Amino acid sequence: MAEMTSSKLRRNRVLVLSTRGVTARFRHLMEDLRKLLPHGKKESKLDTKDRLSSANEICELRNCNWCLLFECRKHEDLYMWVTSIPSGPSVKFHVSNIHTMAELKFAGNNLLFSRALLSFDERFESTPHFRLLKEMLTNLFSAPQGHRKTKPFVDHIISFHILDKRIWIRHYQIVEATEGLKTTKAQKSSSSDLVEIGPRLVLSPVRIFSESFYGSTLYENPAFVHPNVVRRMLRNQNSKAYERRTIRKQKTDKRKQKLGRKKNEVENIFAEEPESDEH
């Protein structure tokens, strides 16, 4: 009974969907991530952007206990929601440094829907919110044992590293030692290499909520800068550069007027005189 109970608890099913207005590049990233989830289910786009909690009802109808929602703002900013259905918690990520598999064109490849190894940086154990994020990402990306779509192979690894308080995700293929080389059995068993497959993305935690898509704030990232603020700062820098050019031009004009260029008497000596209309 204990084995059956533990197996039922680990049967995670993930619903992958996006909101309306997502761009083609973001949609390709969503498809790349969905291929890493043999226990994932695809759903059409969510019609509303204001009530993201309506995805809870869709998950219950599809019999899913985890949700991976992509939210696009202003056709430029991508946010990724990872939430546990129905009671939470949920986390909102800002996705940056996006590179899809079609863009990278790496030589690595893995069997579709094969089980993946998850590698987490030791810094995930440093703070409570990173420990929570590690647990949520583990439940999201770890394929349940015995799932009908999973292949009985482990040929790729998904790594999660923390740098600058952001989570960097990379995907690699595990390449074993090539047959025919004159190596011992111990060397063959220990000699394996990693070849990157893609995609690449960086997750910046924005806020962690106690419930699914809403609730009290468990953690808020103080280091996160909203993309609108970044764009406003860039516009201000460009406007200041224009002001500096205008000030330099005004100073140049004043200096020329102060010098007072003298009129050259022989400047128009070879100018042609206008022909008169008189005969």
Side-chain angles (χ1 to χ4, degrees):
M1 289 293 293
E3 294 180 358
M4 292 179 61
T5 306
S6 62
S7 64
K8 287 183 179 180
L9 291 175
R10 294 184 62 84
R11 290 187 182 277
N12 297 327
R13 293 171 295 274
V14 182
L15 183 67
V16 183
L17 74 163
S18 65
T19 59
R20 292 283 180 183
V22 68
T23 61
R25 189 160 178 260
F26 297 158
R27 187 172 64 252
H28 292 166
L29 175 66
M30 183 181 67
E31 289 296 326
D32 292 342
L33 292 178
R34 192 179 65 84
K35 292 178 181 178
L36 301 179
L37 306 174
H39 55 299
K41 296 183 179 181
K42 187 179 179 180
E43 182 63 28
S44 58
K45 296 179 180 178
L46 193 66
D47 291 331
T48 178
K49 289 185 178 180
D50 300 329
R51 293 182 61 255
L52 297 179
S53 58
S54 59
N56 293 330
E57 303 175 0
I58 303 176
C59 292
E60 292 178 357
L61 292 175
R62 297 296 301 273
N63 195 21
C64 295
N65 53 1
W66 284 90
C67 181
L68 182 62
L69 176 64
F70 292 88
E71 180 186 6
C72 184
R73 295 293 181 90
K74 295 185 177 180
H75 299 280
E76 296 181 2
D77 308 325
L78 181 64
Y79 294 92
M80 188 178 79
W81 288 83
V82 178
T83 176
S84 176
I85 305 297
S87 58
S90 59
V91 57
K92 180 181 180 181
F93 294 104
H94 176 253
V95 188
S96 59
N97 295 349
I98 299 173
H99 300 281
T100 62
M101 294 177 63
E103 294 174 353
L104 296 173
K105 296 181 180 179
F106 283 133
N109 193 11
N110 69 290
L111 187 64
L112 183 64
F113 291 158
S114 59
R115 294 175 62 86
L117 295 176
L118 303 182
S119 173
F120 287 92
D121 189 1
E122 59 182 5
R123 299 176 189 172
F124 276 95
E125 301 296 333
S126 59
T127 56
H129 67 276
F130 274 126
R131 286 197 294 268
L132 176 60
L133 294 178
K134 177 182 177 181
E135 183 65 25
M136 296 181 70
L137 293 173
T138 301
N139 284 280
L140 181 69
F141 285 96
S142 60
Q145 186 176 4
H147 193 273
R148 59 186 181 87
K149 286 187 178 181
T150 56
K151 304 296 190 303
F153 304 101
V154 179
D155 61 348
H156 61 120
I157 180 172
I158 305 174
S159 66
F160 303 88
H161 290 81
I162 297 177
L163 182 63
D164 297 333
K165 297 182 180 181
R166 296 185 295 174
I167 302 175
W168 299 66
I169 300 179
R170 297 292 184 267
H171 182 212
Y172 300 94
Q173 177 192 3
I174 303 175
V175 180
E176 300 296 337
T178 308
E179 296 182 0
L181 296 178
K182 296 181 179 180
T183 55
T184 62
K185 292 183 179 180
Q187 290 175 344
K188 285 186 178 181
S189 60
S190 61
S191 59
S192 59
D193 198 4
L194 296 179
V195 180
E196 188 168 0
I197 303 174
R200 290 178 174 180
L201 66 153
V202 178
L203 302 179
S204 301
V206 180
R207 188 174 295 183
I208 301 177
F209 299 95
S210 59
E211 299 182 25
S212 180
F213 294 106
Y214 61 92
S216 59
T217 301
L218 301 180
Y219 170 76
E220 185 175 1
N221 188 5
F224 175 72
V225 181
H226 200 277
N228 291 337
V229 178
V230 176
R231 284 191 288 266
R232 184 167 63 248
M233 292 172 63
L234 292 175
R235 286 196 300 268
N236 292 337
Q237 289 180 359
N238 295 333
S239 63
K240 290 180 180 178
Y242 174 75
E243 291 177 1
R244 288 194 295 268
R245 289 196 303 269
T246 305
I247 292 173
R248 285 199 301 267
K249 186 176 183 302
Q250 292 175 356
K251 290 182 178 180
T252 303
D253 295 340
K254 288 181 181 179
R255 187 171 62 255
K256 289 182 178 179
Q257 292 177 2
K258 186 177 180 180
L259 292 175
R261 182 188 174 199
K262 296 181 180 181
K263 184 178 179 181
N264 191 358
E265 297 179 356
V266 295
E267 183 177 2
N268 299 324
I269 192 171
F270 294 105
E272 296 181 359
E273 297 181 357
E275 297 181 356
S276 59
D277 295 337
E278 298 179 358
H279 296 283

